[in-house]
Amino acid sequence: MKKILLIAAMAVMSVAASAQDLKWAYVDFNEIIMLMPEMDEARATLEENQKTNEEILVAMYDEYQTKMQQYQQKAESWTPAIRESKEREIMEIQSRFEQTQQSLQVELQQLQQNLQAPIYEKAQATVTDLAKAKGIAFVFEKASLLYVDPAQGIDLTPEARTALNIPADRTLEALQAELQAAAQAAAAAQAQ
């Protein structure tokens, strides 16, 4: 029994000693993903697709509004059979609109997943390659850490940014300002 305890104690001390030799790093994965040039292309594709979807829905809604106005203006002069036919037609248009809206939303989400999956894989592979090259045992997401002592760990974010061709002067704040300006310009264009 004493031998087993002695062996267990030695194993624990061995693991503790080797754990001190382990290197760890952290990375701001969100920053990397959001600033990758590929993500800009994905955002542009999604934006264009969403714009097309909105045009389709606006056209369908306009058709619905036209039919509804026609019904409201002429319903009293129609026979009950025509009125019933027009009501069914309006309900079908409304149903088609709702189905199309749901379908387009699902398609847009699927497109987003298809566009972003390779971006996440590329970023993950880059971080993994950097960690392996530096002999790092663990890489943590910076946002999930409560405390980081830069002297104890390695920040892989700058090297990952370089490896992924993210310009050094590009920041999340600048990206947010770009996206906000684009959204405001789109809103102003729609208002006209």
Side-chain angles (χ1 to χ4, degrees):
M1 183 71 168
K2 286 183 181 182
K3 282 186 180 183
I4 294 174
L5 288 176
L6 182 59
I7 292 172
M10 290 175 63
V12 168
M13 290 185 346
S14 171
V15 168
S18 66
Q20 290 176 352
D21 295 336
L22 293 177
K23 288 193 211 173
W24 66 276
Y26 55 95
V27 66
D28 191 337
F29 203 69
N30 182 54
E31 176 183 327
I32 292 169
I33 293 293
M34 295 302 293
L35 297 178
M36 286 175 65
E38 294 90 336
M39 187 58 94
D40 291 337
E41 294 168 18
R43 270 191 291 273
T45 300
L46 288 168
E47 202 172 286
E48 185 62 36
N49 202 286
Q50 188 167 5
K51 187 176 180 181
T52 301
N53 291 353
E54 287 173 6
E55 290 169 1
I56 291 168
L57 293 172
V58 165
M60 291 180 80
Y61 184 75
D62 288 347
E63 178 188 8
Y64 171 78
Q65 286 292 97
T66 301
K67 295 286 184 180
M68 192 62 150
Q69 287 174 353
Q70 180 187 27
Y71 176 82
Q72 289 171 346
Q73 291 171 354
K74 299 181 180 180
E76 291 182 18
S77 65
W78 289 334
T79 65
I82 292 175
R83 198 171 25 244
E84 186 179 317
S85 171
K86 295 294 183 179
E87 288 171 359
R88 261 186 278 133
E89 185 179 353
I90 290 170
M91 286 192 294
E92 286 173 7
I93 292 170
Q94 185 178 8
S95 177
R96 239 184 26 242
F97 176 82
E98 291 170 0
Q99 289 172 352
T100 301
Q101 187 177 27
Q102 290 173 354
S103 174
L104 291 175
Q105 186 174 2
V106 168
E107 287 177 14
L108 190 65
Q109 289 172 347
Q110 185 63 44
L111 177 62
Q112 181 178 8
Q113 290 173 353
N114 291 342
L115 291 172
Q116 290 180 351
I119 295 169
Y120 278 84
E121 290 170 9
K122 181 178 180 181
Q124 178 67 49
T126 299
V127 170
T128 299
D129 291 346
L130 288 170
K132 285 181 181 179
K134 293 183 168 290
I136 295 171
F138 303 99
V139 178
F140 298 95
E141 166 59 50
K142 184 177 180 180
S144 65
L145 296 174
L146 295 176
Y147 170 75
V148 175
D149 181 357
Q152 301 290 325
I154 300 167
D155 185 1
L156 290 179
T157 307
E159 290 177 64
R161 287 175 59 111
T162 301
L164 293 167
N165 300 319
I166 299 170
D169 62 342
R170 187 150 194 228
T171 64
L172 286 175
E173 292 79 18
L175 174 64
Q176 286 176 331
E178 288 173 29
L179 295 175
Q180 195 170 32
Q184 289 173 347
Q190 278 185 340
Q192 292 177 350

